[in-house]
Amino acid sequence: MAVMKVGAAGIETISGAMKRPKKQNGHNHGNYLVAVHRTAASENPNCQRVYSFDADRYKRSTDPSAKELLARARFNAVSKAVALRRKDLMQINQDNAAFLAQRDTAGGKKTLTAYLWKVCGDEYDAEHGA
């Protein structure tokens, strides 16, 4: 949903989806209403924009490719492996030590989550020959 900043004079900025179509009985009612607030430095004073899109705007027009299906399968497997590894009491101390050892090196992951995604992703790739 949209993020709104309210000031003394009312709404100052809105960013995100303000309205989405309602799906009933297999078809959509309404449309998308999306607001965008630019925060980057610019000389243009118009930093707020609102767009309206048809209900089928984000409907996919083609089937997923084989490469995309493989990427989805990898993401699903790695995310489950990260969740399991995070809860594994036998692995926590080793993971923390390995994470701290690589964190300040060149190319080291700066968060434990990123480190676990790298480790589990590398394990997945090794198993599946990627």
Side-chain angles (χ1 to χ4, degrees), residues 56-87:
D56 62 349
R57 165 75 177 215
Y58 299 106
K59 186 175 180 182
R60 189 178 187 120
S61 62
T62 60
D63 291 332
S65 66
K67 185 177 179 180
E68 184 178 349
L69 292 174
L70 288 173
R72 287 181 184 184
R74 181 184 187 276
F75 181 87
N76 189 16
V78 173
S79 66
K80 288 180 181 177
V82 168
L84 287 173
R85 189 161 179 154
R86 213 178 248 289
K87 294 176 186 176

Side-chain angles (χ1 to χ4, degrees), residues 23-42:
K23 190 167 193 171
Q24 286 182 335
N25 300 327
H27 63 281
N28 293 329
H29 298 273
N31 58 3
Y32 287 95
L33 192 60
V34 179
V36 178
H37 178 251
R38 185 189 68 238
T39 57
S42 174

